[in-house]
Amino acid sequence: MSEARQWTSPANPEGAGLTIVLSVEDEAWDAAELGDLEVFVTETLQAAALHAGFEDGLSTEVSVTLTSDEDVREINREWRDKDRPTNVLSFPMMDLEPGDHPGPLLGDLVLAFETCAREADGEGKTFADHFRHLLVHGFLHCLGHDHVEDEDAEAMEALEVRILSAFSIADPYREGGSPESEETPGLGRRDDVSDTVER
């Protein structure tokens, strides 16, 4: 494996006041034909921040770690007592409700390459579209959104759909739209996938 690299985007003065710290810890992410990973992650999360109502003057930072199933499995075991990889884990720095303003540090997202790729392939989606969805989903968890109660899930899903439509990505929650696999279920209201992790 190549040496991990880190990149920090400055907050966008013309968009959301979001600084992104990106760590790429598995070379498979570079080989996934996503183009410039820094640009891909930044444009995705900036769009999510704008749709989530970031106001002028609001400034926060999120870190994104792109790693392997093995690493995510270890994190999932340590923080959630679940000895398996998952697609994305969200570690919010504050206990927010949707619409609350985050502090200077929003939180951390950790994504597992093999699980993301397996889900995309199993559902017949492009890896790029599925990865973008997982970034948005994890980011919204850091902002206090969740999918435990039906009403909250519907609101979160509707916001995800609006954000993804800006990238011409179809509704991932429509019939047959969310990834379903025996090993790693989709983004539905489950306790084993794409969860927020309490610190």
Side-chain angles (χ1 to χ4, degrees):
M1 180 162 88
S2 64
E3 186 175 316
R5 71 178 194 282
Q6 190 173 70
W7 175 85
T8 303
S9 78
N12 180 357
E14 297 177 9
L18 180 66
T19 298
I20 300 161
V21 178
L22 175 65
S23 298
V24 182
E25 297 184 354
D26 190 307
E27 61 190 15
W29 289 96
D30 289 311
E33 300 180 7
L34 296 167
D36 186 319
L37 276 171
E38 291 86 358
V39 170
F40 188 99
V41 171
T42 299
E43 70 182 11
T44 302
L45 296 182
Q46 289 285 355
L50 289 170
H51 278 84
F54 274 41
E55 301 167 357
D56 289 342
L58 182 62
S59 180
T60 193
E61 178 179 296
V62 64
S63 83
V64 178
T65 301
L66 305 180
T67 190
S68 65
D69 271 13
E70 180 182 349
D71 290 342
V72 169
R73 180 178 186 163
E74 288 178 23
I75 296 167
N76 208 18
R77 182 174 51 233
E78 178 181 345
W79 287 92
R80 299 177 63 224
D81 293 321
K82 297 185 184 219
D83 190 13
R84 61 181 174 269
T86 189
N87 48 24
V88 58
L89 291 170
S90 300
F91 294 85
M93 292 300 290
M94 299 173 62
D95 187 16
L96 299 175
E97 292 292 324
D100 287 352
H101 288 181
L105 297 176
L106 179 61
D108 304 308
L109 305 178
V110 184
L111 293 97
F113 180 81
E114 297 93 334
T115 296
C116 295
R118 195 168 45 250
E119 289 176 350
D121 185 57
E123 192 58 31
K125 296 179 179 179
T126 68
F127 181 80
D129 286 357
H130 188 55
F131 174 41
R132 204 177 296 271
H133 181 199
L134 293 172
L135 284 170
V136 169
H137 187 83
F139 181 77
L140 293 180
H141 272 311
C142 285
L143 288 173
H145 294 268
D146 68 50
H147 43 77
V148 175
E149 302 295 331
D150 286 347
E151 184 177 336
D152 295 334
E154 289 170 11
M156 183 176 182
E157 291 169 10
L159 182 53
E160 288 176 47
V161 169
R162 283 196 304 277
I163 296 165
L164 294 173
S165 71
F167 298 100
S168 300
I169 298 174
D171 178 353
Y173 293 106
R174 72 181 189 282
E175 181 82 20
S178 80
E180 295 294 338
S181 75
E182 191 172 317
E183 187 169 304
T184 307
L187 294 174
R189 296 162 205 141
R190 298 190 44 112
D191 69 343
D192 57 346
V193 177
S194 58
D195 266 351
T196 305
V197 179
E198 298 296 328
R199 291 185 187 263

